[in-house]
Amino acid sequence: MARFESKIFGIDLGTTNTLVSYYDEIAKRGECCASKEGGNLTPSAVYFENTDSYIVGRDAKDTAILYPDRTALYFKRLMGETKEAIDIGGTVYSPQQLSAFVLKKVVGDANEELEENIKDVVITVPAYFTSAAKQATKEAGIIAGLNVRDIIDEPCAALYHIDSIQDLSGKRVMIFDLGGGTLDLIAAEIKDNEIDEIAIGGDTRLGGKDWDSMLQKSIRDRYLDGRTLRPDDEQDFENDVERAKISLTGKKESWFILRNDAEKIRVKVTRSEFESCTKPLLDRVRKTVQMFMDDLTERGITGFDKVIMVGGASRMPQISELLRRMFPDTELLQKDCDEAVAKGAAVYAKRIAQKAKRFSVRQSFTPKKLNRISARSYGIAALLGDYGEKKICNMIFKSADLPASVSKKFYTSIDNQKKVNISVYETTATERYAELDDRMLLGNCELHIEGELPRRSEIVVDFNLRQDGTLTVEGREPRGKTSVRAVMESRALLSANELIEQKDTVNKLIMKE
Ligand code: AMP
């Protein structure tokens, strides 16, 4: 039997590390491809040697402090927020392009290992990512020359993996996923053949990286007395602090040497010091989980059969202690923290391959169907009454079943109006009318009217939130007298032309080993 038959591969495109996976027909589970970096993880870091070549992975990560202007890290946090992540010699790279460099590297390594030519992939994204961030992830795949067959929430992918090694049918679970950059929560009910998402929550700006930063600050305050380190000493310091943090998961204290030019300081960190200086972060985790539970309680759901912990940073003892306190009667399960998301993406990819029936995939195991919900609410800015307050009028609500389609009527305000401007907002509000907040603006949609319509003509705006959580907005004139075109422009997403240009730029650069 061939080791893999599903020609759709999984990719966990993480804030800190990226992995490629495939469904192993013999082991009957997802497996990760080896990275040339050693192990399976490739750091999601890009270093531009000059304007013509780049390096991805460990070496890129290790040069970050020496060449901060030429190294891009943690750009996943910029996905969906901006088109401009780093300027290299006058060329501005988007977070989508930086992600594409990483995708090209990991797919190249996987192709060599598997002797494949990977094209079709499923990419995982934080469940709590915005619609724009999800769309930007698809754009990264396109720039990398991949055919993104679907994107799936990271905790759901992890659930597919855990369910493939230990049947969870009949259980209600919470997946707690604390990675390098994000905290993601999903509640799901697992049936014999289906997985129903029932709630999504999290914090897209809370992850292991924040524990590193707080520990760094505490050590600087204690040992450096306001002095700054030389760049290469700073690089070593940041790496040593992360290593110390990781070792404090298994040990009560850790040591390393802090070098500052000729000076060498022996630094000791204890687990209790680490826990006390990072307490504000643990409080944020507690509040996020509490809000998530409050929402569920309002809907009559008060507990789980299992809480499944994934993501490298969930290994910190403070996290399992917190969850044990919050869910005293629930079994905590921690398995394959670093690889569960990637492995589960491969299981889900197998489902897509089977559904498409394009490949000769064996029918011995059919991964469960995923019934998804929306992580956010979507609406438009509207005046309440002729002279009323301007508010967000939500059209699709958080936790709505996906795909979701909603239409709303608007009226032209003058004869022969040529344009209607609509601002689209994405919030976590659950009520029909929410306060306007420009930080929540997803994009502006312009309805272009071709033809002549009298004042107060009806125009219908359709919102369509796809299975993968990306939103499309369309406009139409219901009586069909004229055509109306709506284009949503987001400050962070690429137009068709920009996609082509950015792909060309990425392809022109040489990837160095
Ligand atoms: P992920 O995004 O799931 O790969 O998680 C990466 C994050 O997990 C980084 O911040 C790592 O420093 C952190 N991490 C990995 N292993 C451990 C560990 N044993 N203890 C604490 N943090 C860890």
Side-chain angles (χ1 to χ4, degrees):
M1 187 189 285
R3 203 160 131 226
F4 54 90
E5 292 191 353
S6 159
K7 299 288 182 189
I8 307 180
F9 294 80
I11 300 183
D12 171 6
L13 180 58
T15 313
T16 39
N17 296 305
T18 297
L19 295 94
V20 180
S21 58
Y22 60 91
Y23 185 79
D24 187 325
E25 296 290 340
I26 296 168
K28 301 219 172 310
R29 52 187 277 178
E31 291 292 356
C32 293
C33 297
S35 159
K36 282 195 183 158
E37 308 287 300
N40 297 336
L41 310 175
T42 300
S44 309
V46 185
Y47 165 62
F48 293 88
E49 256 191 337
N50 46 50
T51 47
D52 303 323
S53 66
Y54 66 96
I55 296 174
V56 169
R58 169 79 38 211
D59 290 347
K61 187 177 174 194
D62 287 346
T63 53
I65 304 288
L66 281 179
Y67 305 110
D69 300 345
R70 283 195 265 146
T71 313
L73 294 170
Y74 308 116
F75 37 84
K76 181 168 165 178
R77 283 186 166 177
L78 302 175
M79 294 287 257
E81 296 203 351
T82 174
K83 289 187 207 179
E84 298 175 358
I86 193 167
D87 182 334
I88 303 293
T91 307
V92 176
Y93 291 92
S94 64
Q96 291 92 315
Q97 282 175 300
L98 297 172
S99 304
F101 286 124
V102 175
L103 289 171
K104 279 171 85 89
K105 156 78 176 158
V106 293
V107 166
D109 284 2
N111 281 338
E112 271 189 43
E113 186 201 341
L114 305 175
E115 295 178 5
E116 265 294 316
N117 179 19
I118 296 174
K119 278 275 166 234
D120 290 80
V121 296
V122 166
I123 303 181
T124 63
V125 289
Y128 214 49
F129 244 14
T130 60
S131 165
K134 289 179 179 174
Q135 182 65 38
T137 304
K138 289 207 254 178
E139 292 176 351
I142 296 167
I143 294 172
L146 297 168
N147 181 12
V148 184
R149 297 290 296 272
D150 205 348
I151 52 175
I152 175 176
D153 295 339
E154 288 161 6
C156 275
L159 188 52
Y160 268 97
H161 171 61
I162 306 292
D163 189 51
S164 74
I165 54 175
Q166 154 180 1
D167 190 6
L168 295 171
S169 298
K171 304 265 187 284
R172 182 193 295 146
V173 300
M174 174 173 99
I175 299 104
F176 175 98
D177 180 0
L178 186 62
T182 50
L183 168 63
D184 246 356
L185 304 170
I186 276 197
E189 273 166 5
I190 300 140
K191 301 180 184 152
D192 286 342
N193 301 314
E194 297 187 14
I195 295 175
D196 288 341
E197 281 185 344
I198 49 178
I200 299 177
D203 186 335
T204 51
R205 295 206 169 258
L206 183 59
K209 173 185 184 305
D210 301 296
W211 270 260
D212 297 342
S213 306
M214 278 213 170
L215 182 55
Q216 282 168 21
K217 181 174 181 313
S218 154
I219 295 171
R220 272 186 234 276
D221 290 350
R222 244 186 319 145
Y223 291 94
L224 287 176
D225 209 14
R227 284 171 298 154
T228 50
L229 296 173
R230 287 186 333 157
D232 43 351
D233 291 333
E234 175 69 30
Q235 172 78 70
D236 290 340
F237 172 64
E238 294 194 6
N239 290 342
D240 286 339
V241 168
E242 186 181 3
R243 266 194 289 273
K245 173 194 78 172
I246 290 175
S247 77
L248 288 174
T249 287
K251 301 195 301 187
K252 289 275 168 55
E253 58 182 54
S254 181
W255 300 86
F256 67 90
I257 303 294
L258 195 172
R259 284 187 187 78
N260 192 17
D261 219 348
E263 188 186 4
K264 289 182 185 164
I265 308 166
R266 193 154 186 258
V267 173
K268 176 183 165 191
V269 204
T270 66
R271 189 189 289 169
S272 67
E273 282 161 1
F274 171 57
E275 291 182 348
S276 106
C277 75
T278 55
K279 191 166 173 305
L281 298 172
L282 193 69
D283 286 342
R284 265 170 75 186
V285 175
R286 188 181 47 72
K287 278 189 197 135
T288 308
V289 176
Q290 193 55 57
M291 263 167 56
F292 182 72
M293 288 311 298
D294 290 347
D295 274 2
L296 278 168
T297 308
E298 266 181 38
R299 292 159 56 191
I301 297 167
T302 51
F304 305 107
D305 298 306
K306 281 179 205 286
V307 170
I308 299 168
M309 299 163 68
V310 292
S314 74
R315 287 206 187 89
M316 291 184 291
Q318 52 180 288
I319 299 296
S320 41
E321 282 157 21
L322 173 76
L323 292 177
R324 214 165 282 127
R325 280 198 302 277
M326 295 186 84
F327 302 96
D329 305 320
T330 309
E331 182 194 346
L332 293 189
L333 192 77
Q334 201 167 24
K335 270 215 161 76
D336 264 345
C337 272
D338 299 315
E339 298 183 351
V341 169
K343 288 177 174 173
V347 180
Y348 181 73
K350 177 181 165 79
R351 180 180 165 84
I352 298 181
Q354 277 186 348
K355 251 178 70 194
K357 291 200 183 86
R358 274 175 52 200
F359 309 109
S360 66
V361 178
R362 281 164 213 280
Q363 297 300 317
S364 55
F365 167 69
T366 307
K368 291 173 179 164
K369 179 173 178 248
L370 179 61
N371 298 317
R372 306 180 186 201
I373 58 168
S374 172
R376 316 266 168 155
S377 299
Y378 295 88
I380 55 171
L383 283 179
L384 301 188
D386 275 351
Y387 303 102
E389 215 185 322
K390 204 171 189 187
K391 292 231 176 191
I392 299 170
C393 170
N394 279 319
M395 288 168 61
I396 295 178
F397 290 88
K398 185 178 168 194
S399 302
D401 290 335
L402 296 182
S405 298
V406 174
S407 302
K408 189 157 178 60
K409 283 183 198 159
F410 293 88
Y411 299 92
T412 56
S413 51
I414 50 171
D415 285 334
N416 301 331
Q417 190 169 331
K418 292 290 166 225
K419 222 164 65 175
V420 181
N421 288 317
I422 294 170
S423 303
V424 180
Y425 287 81
E426 178 180 51
T427 67
T428 50
T430 47
E431 58 274 22
R432 166 72 66 190
Y433 298 104
E435 290 305 320
L436 270 187
D437 181 344
D438 278 344
R439 287 168 304 172
M440 307 295 168
L441 180 70
L442 186 61
N444 286 303
C445 183
E446 277 195 350
L447 297 182
H448 295 270
I449 305 168
E450 281 158 29
E452 298 188 346
L453 291 177
R455 180 174 172 266
R456 292 207 61 77
S457 291
E458 217 174 272
I459 301 268
V460 177
V461 174
D462 297 320
F463 269 28
N464 186 2
L465 191 58
R466 298 198 197 104
Q467 283 271 11
D468 62 18
T470 56
L471 182 77
T472 55
V473 181
E474 276 177 81
R476 66 198 152 85
E477 195 267 303
R479 272 166 262 157
K481 287 187 184 154
T482 180
S483 78
V484 172
R485 196 167 46 84
V487 188
M488 191 171 75
E489 288 193 357
S490 152
R491 62 189 182 280
L493 295 178
L494 306 175
S495 65
N497 281 344
E498 282 174 322
L499 259 180
I500 294 168
E501 279 166 25
Q502 295 208 357
K503 189 173 174 181
D504 279 353
T505 315
V506 165
N507 283 336
K508 271 187 206 137
L509 263 67
I510 300 160
M511 189 197 303
K512 290 274 186 74
E513 288 282 307

